Amino acid sequence: MNKVLLKQLIRAVCFIAVLTILLFAVSVMLEPKDNTNESGVTHTVLYGFLSEPKNTIDIAVIGNSDAGNGFSPLELWNKYGYTSYVCAEGWQTVPQGYSMLKKLYNCQKPRIVILETDGFFGSYNPIKAAAYITEPTRGGLMSIINYHNRWKTAKPEELFKKPRYTYHCFSKGQWLNNDVKGYTGGEYMKKCKEKEKLTTTARLALDFFVKRCRENGAELLLTELPQSTWSYKKHNAVKAYADKNRIPFLDLNINRESFSFDWKTDTRDGGVHLNNRGAKKATLFLGEYLKNNYSIPDHRQDKNFKRWNDDFTEYSKSAET
């Protein structure tokens, strides 16, 4: 390589390195330093786990809106004394879930991670997926994309402020909804041998997700909550991945009668999402599975978790289950 080319290469490498450092610095400065609406966070319920006392969440639930609507941490608390939080986003993909898992490990060390599997399927943007998978726990390309408008409203002193999270989510991430609109279609879980295809991007992100859980000593449980758009082909695809990677998979769409699930009363929108009634049934069924298969502490008599009782009282007023 001649000297001219070498100089050009060195300049290019230096430019990329400086640009990367600048982008990271800007992204960290623009990130909200609190988890409130006022600080710039639009999904306060999602990020409520940031203000939970450090390392007090034993079960983390990650997934799309199925998880947000269908899992009830306060019902799990009331029956079993388990502490859990739902980190759910609408249309969440596995790469987004992996990014959420990394953020969760900044402040919590869950014993069990439950990954809702509906987000395994669908179209993936490889560039966005790569950004979610590779982004650091603070800063990164996605932070600039999500918070690039904050320069208009952020005060100069905020940019260098150390994060302090104050928003408390009494529902622990659950999206409460009491609407009732039954599912009137036929049986959607028709047994077959065919498998839905998992994209290479989804599979790669899943591999990263599994690896991160194991590195942090968490047991991973794959779960699919009742949803009429689910299918046996999707079930078979997840089961094949789970078996290959020695991960338990619990599909609540099979044998729904075992926990008295009723599509007439337990969905809010015709079978796509559960309402509070359906979430309670699904969660307590899951809770019994967790009790019988894992060692999880019951914190109900621990005075350090008194606020969970207060949260259950507030939840009961809203859930009306």
Side-chain angles (χ1 to χ4, degrees):
M1 182 180 294
N2 61 49
K3 292 183 179 180
V4 174
L5 286 176
L6 182 61
K7 285 182 179 179
Q8 289 177 342
L9 179 61
I10 292 173
R11 286 174 182 171
V13 170
C14 289
F15 174 78
I16 292 171
V18 171
L19 181 62
T20 300
I21 292 171
L22 287 174
L23 285 173
F24 176 77
V26 170
S27 67
V28 170
M29 286 190 290
L30 289 178
E31 273 190 342
K33 303 305 187 290
D34 199 351
N35 56 347
T36 62
N37 285 134
E38 294 76 16
S39 67
V41 172
T42 55
H43 304 295
T44 54
V45 172
L46 170 63
Y47 290 104
F49 68 86
L50 291 171
S51 49
E52 292 290 326
K54 190 174 181 179
N55 296 333
T56 57
I57 301 298
D58 288 328
I59 303 167
V61 181
I62 297 177
N64 63 16
S65 55
D66 292 354
N69 286 278
F71 187 87
S72 177
L74 273 306
E75 294 291 352
L76 198 67
W77 165 263
N78 186 54
K79 180 73 180 288
Y80 301 98
Y82 301 159
T83 55
S84 58
Y85 201 96
V86 186
C87 303
E89 304 169 87
W91 304 99
Q92 187 188 84
T93 63
V94 182
Q96 283 176 276
Y98 177 66
S99 174
M100 187 56 57
L101 181 70
K102 290 188 288 184
K103 290 182 174 68
L104 185 74
Y105 277 127
N106 273 347
C107 55
Q108 301 294 334
K109 195 171 177 61
R111 300 163 183 259
I112 313 290
V113 175
I114 299 175
L115 180 59
E116 221 279 340
T117 60
D118 184 57
F120 288 16
F121 305 96
S123 59
Y124 277 67
N125 182 316
I127 296 175
K128 277 190 176 181
Y132 279 118
I133 290 172
T134 59
E135 73 170 332
T137 54
R138 286 200 65 204
L141 178 61
M142 295 313 297
S143 291
I144 293 177
I145 293 172
N146 292 332
Y147 303 115
H148 64 278
N149 279 326
R150 286 202 72 237
W151 68 269
K152 299 175 183 177
T153 57
K155 299 175 182 178
E157 59 268 23
E158 286 182 63
L159 301 179
F160 303 97
K161 186 179 177 183
K162 185 178 179 181
R164 180 177 178 271
Y165 303 109
T166 60
Y167 171 75
H168 181 76
C169 179
F170 74 87
S171 72
K172 310 301 180 184
Q174 181 184 359
W175 305 357
L176 299 174
N177 193 298
N178 287 310
D179 294 345
V180 177
K181 183 180 179 181
Y183 169 65
T184 56
E187 178 54 56
Y188 56 95
M189 291 300 288
K190 296 179 180 179
K191 201 163 186 177
C192 65
K193 293 183 179 180
E194 292 83 12
K195 296 195 295 272
E196 194 79 22
K197 184 179 179 181
L198 274 177
T199 66
T200 302
T201 305
R203 193 178 294 276
L204 178 64
L206 273 171
D207 291 343
F208 276 107
F209 198 103
V210 172
K211 185 172 183 288
R212 182 62 65 109
C213 286
R214 288 174 175 168
E215 286 175 347
N216 284 276
E219 297 190 71
L220 177 61
L221 170 63
L222 301 181
T223 300
E224 181 55 34
L225 293 162
Q227 185 199 156
S228 64
T229 59
W230 191 245
S231 69
Y232 226 102
K233 288 183 180 181
K234 291 180 179 179
H235 169 90
N236 291 339
V238 176
K239 185 72 165 57
Y241 182 88
D243 289 346
K244 181 180 178 181
N245 291 277
R246 305 183 309 280
I247 305 167
F249 172 44
L250 190 62
D251 191 341
L252 275 65
N253 290 276
I254 298 174
N255 299 325
R256 298 183 300 275
E257 65 276 5
S258 62
F259 56 102
S260 303
F261 188 82
D262 188 345
W263 275 122
K264 294 178 182 177
T265 60
D266 299 340
T267 174
R268 68 176 179 84
D269 53 8
V272 180
H273 300 102
L274 304 187
N275 56 23
N276 296 337
R277 180 188 176 98
K280 179 177 181 178
K281 290 181 180 180
T283 300
L284 294 182
F285 178 78
L286 258 174
E288 196 63 22
Y289 178 88
L290 293 170
K291 177 185 175 184
N292 293 331
N293 291 277
Y294 301 93
S295 178
I296 309 170
D298 181 345
H299 294 290
R300 283 174 293 185
Q301 303 305 316
D302 188 335
K303 63 182 181 180
N304 293 317
F305 291 83
K306 179 182 178 299
R307 191 165 188 178
W308 280 77
N309 293 321
D310 298 334
D311 288 336
F312 179 75
T313 300
E314 189 170 354
Y315 158 80
S316 298
K317 295 175 184 176
S318 302
E320 297 178 1
T321 55

